[in-house]
Amino acid sequence: MVLEKQFGEADARAALPHLKFDDNKFTRGMCELIVGGPEFPGAGVLASLAANSLAAGYVTTYTWKDAARAIRAKQPSIVVRKPKEFLTRDHTAAPGKPKAVVIGCGLSPDDEAAELVLAALQVEVPLVMDGGALAFMNRADVKEALVTRAKNKFPTVLTPHAGEAARLLKAEAERCAEQESLFDTSDPSWQWVHERGEQYAAADPKADPAQAAALIANAYGAVCVLKGPDTYISVPGFVQESDEHTVLVVTEGTPALAKAGTGDVLAGTIGSFVASGMALEAACSLGVFLHARAGRLAGEALGELCVTAERVLHYIPKAVCSLA
Ligand SMILES: NC(=O)C1=CN([C@@H]2O[C@H](COP(=O)(O)OP(=O)(O)OC[C@H]3O[C@@H](n4cnc5c(N)ncnc54)[C@H](OP(=O)(O)O)[C@@H]3O)[C@@H](O)[C@H]2O)[C@@H](O)CC1
Ligand SMILES: Nc1ncnc2c1ncn2[C@@H]1O[C@H](COP(=O)(O)OP(=O)(O)O)[C@@H](O)[C@H]1O
């Protein structure tokens, strides 16, 4: 049974990290982003600026020409490198110097992105997968890498909207159907895999988002942030109806957020908190809450029809101050 628990203002206030007197940019955490492909540079700019506006002390973006130029012009404090450099650099986190990688905002499903996604999955720091990175989830090598990360306790976050969530569930239902064919129908394993496959095939992210988030989290061994009018955050652990599993829900959102690019701002926001070393569920919930509050504040100030992703970004500091 999936239970829903509200993550509201008091929870966000309690989760908000505070700086230490002797913090430096490295102890605050490094957020590395692989975002902003040639087709969608804007998504990379939005995610990078959001990551640099919050907890992380050091933001490095691996990106292509157009996004690189825009990021350098808008926030020169962000270090910008070429995508290929991600493949050769060391991404290990030293003790007391937390790190996270965000991948996918504005990536197209091509071979170059696939190589970067597979490389990011090998990195032994928390990984946030959004947008274009979620398009690779039906690949066997990507699923295998996710399972290995989960086994080795390297945390992963997936941030699908309802359309992406439906594709993640379908991919898992198809995997179950493949596995099922390896067993005789009289084998108890067949029954177990068959029932799981049916559960994934029947799940509907719009009709029952809490259950969909719980199933995705379990299938991919990752925290699932299922975005929508309300946003649901589930850690892995829910396998069958007899399990009691709690999913957090943030209801602070506003339809003013239904605008291209706001999801990219959210990915950077979450990435910044994850990079600061916060526990994953708290980092995701706090990020979702502040992003929603920023959308709400922007709507109040500017009229909800006029909210853009850029304006959500602009209101993030005010959202943080609203918790003080
Ligand atoms: N300025 C930039 O650079 C921007 C760049 N961006 C970046 O571009 C990349 C591609 O993203 P995108 O926006 O082109 O399409 P994407 O979200 O993959 O949708 C594909 C299909 O999914 C569905 N679907 C979508 N939303 C849904 C929902 N809520 N609920 C249910 N279904 C939903 C819908 O399918 P349908 O329902 O029509 O079958 C839709 O056609 C990605 O990397 C992103 O980061 C964007 O962030 C925008 C700003
Ligand atoms: N009707 C709505 N009410 C509240 N929040 C919404 C609504 N529609 C979208 N959002 C929020 O806006 C963001 C959209 O993200 P996403 O669909 O990934 O857009 P994009 O890929 O264009 O950045 C998510 O955080 C989602 O929760």
Side-chain angles (χ1 to χ4, degrees), residues 33-48 61-71 80-81 83 102-108 112-113 116 130 132-133 264:
L33 300 99
I34 309 167
V35 291
E39 200 182 350
F40 302 112
V45 179
L46 292 165
S48 303
T61 298
Y62 294 86
T63 195
W64 289 257
K65 215 171 53 199
D66 289 347
R69 199 173 294 138
I71 292 168
V80 181
R81 296 188 186 280
V102 176
I103 186 161
C105 315
L107 293 195
S108 301
E112 193 180 13
L116 289 163
D130 180 59
D264 306 313

Side-chain angles (χ1 to χ4, degrees), residues 43 46 105-106 130-131 159-164 225-232 250-267 288 291-292 296 309:
L46 292 165
C105 315
D130 180 59
T159 58
H161 56 52
E164 289 159 337
V225 176
L226 176 50
K227 301 178 289 193
D230 294 331
T231 292
Y232 293 78
V250 175
T251 60
E252 179 71 14
T254 152
L257 285 166
K259 196 89 175 171
T262 54
D264 306 313
V265 174
L266 179 65
V288 171
H291 175 263
R296 203 169 268 278

Side-chain angles (χ1 to χ4, degrees), residues 9-307:
E9 178 162 342
D11 305 299
R13 187 171 290 119
L16 197 68
H18 296 283
L19 300 182
K20 295 193 293 295
F21 172 71
D22 59 350
D23 258 331
N24 64 48
K25 61 193 175 198
F26 295 108
T27 62
R28 286 185 65 176
M30 179 177 277
C31 188
E32 303 192 320
L33 300 99
I34 309 167
V35 291
E39 200 182 350
F40 302 112
V45 179
L46 292 165
S48 303
L49 267 50
N52 200 34
S53 300
L54 284 154
Y58 202 132
V59 173
T60 300
T61 298
Y62 294 86
T63 195
W64 289 257
K65 215 171 53 199
D66 289 347
R69 199 173 294 138
I71 292 168
R72 285 193 174 113
K74 287 213 167 279
Q75 286 192 12
S77 53
I78 296 173
V79 174
V80 181
R81 296 188 186 280
K82 292 193 172 70
K84 281 254 173 277
E85 287 183 65
F86 185 84
L87 304 173
T88 51
R89 294 186 75 89
D90 178 16
H91 304 283
T92 318
K97 295 177 178 173
K99 248 188 198 179
V101 173
V102 176
I103 186 161
C105 315
L107 293 195
S108 301
D110 54 25
D111 290 349
E112 193 180 13
E115 186 183 19
L116 289 163
V117 165
L118 287 168
L121 282 162
Q122 304 307 319
V123 169
E124 299 181 353
V125 301
L127 176 67
V128 180
M129 303 180 78
D130 180 59
L134 299 176
F136 296 107
M137 291 297 174
N138 57 353
R139 285 177 53 144
D141 50 0
V142 169
K143 176 73 199 287
E144 205 177 302
L146 279 161
V147 171
T148 305
R149 286 183 67 81
K151 268 195 202 134
N152 293 337
K153 306 215 180 318
F154 302 134
T156 312
V157 178
L158 309 179
T159 58
H161 56 52
E164 289 159 337
R167 285 192 285 279
L168 294 181
L169 289 161
K170 183 165 175 270
E172 192 59 17
E174 286 170 0
R175 270 183 212 108
C176 287
E178 261 172 44
Q179 277 175 27
E180 193 184 298
S181 65
L182 303 176
F183 301 107
D184 193 273
T185 50
S186 58
D187 188 327
S189 299
W190 180 88
Q191 187 66 24
W192 194 81
V193 176
H194 180 73
E195 280 171 13
R196 281 195 54 159
E198 287 197 324
Q199 207 179 10
Y200 284 105
D204 181 342
K206 282 196 173 148
D208 191 347
Q211 200 199 37
L215 286 171
I216 291 171
N218 214 44
Y220 294 91
V223 174
C224 176
V225 176
L226 176 50
K227 301 178 289 193
D230 294 331
T231 292
Y232 293 78
I233 299 120
S234 177
V235 297
F238 173 70
V239 182
Q240 51 201 7
E241 274 307 313
S242 55
D243 295 344
E244 225 173 63
H245 182 77
T246 302
V247 171
L248 297 179
V249 56
V250 175
T251 60
E252 179 71 14
T254 152
L257 285 166
K259 196 89 175 171
T262 54
D264 306 313
V265 174
L266 179 65
T269 302
I270 290 174
S272 200
F273 287 120
V274 174
S276 76
M278 283 177 73
L280 224 54
E281 194 182 26
C284 294
S285 315
L286 178 61
V288 171
F289 183 91
L290 286 172
H291 175 263
R293 173 66 57 94
R296 203 169 268 278
L297 293 173
E300 282 165 15
L302 308 163
E304 43 174 37
L305 288 183
C306 307
V307 173

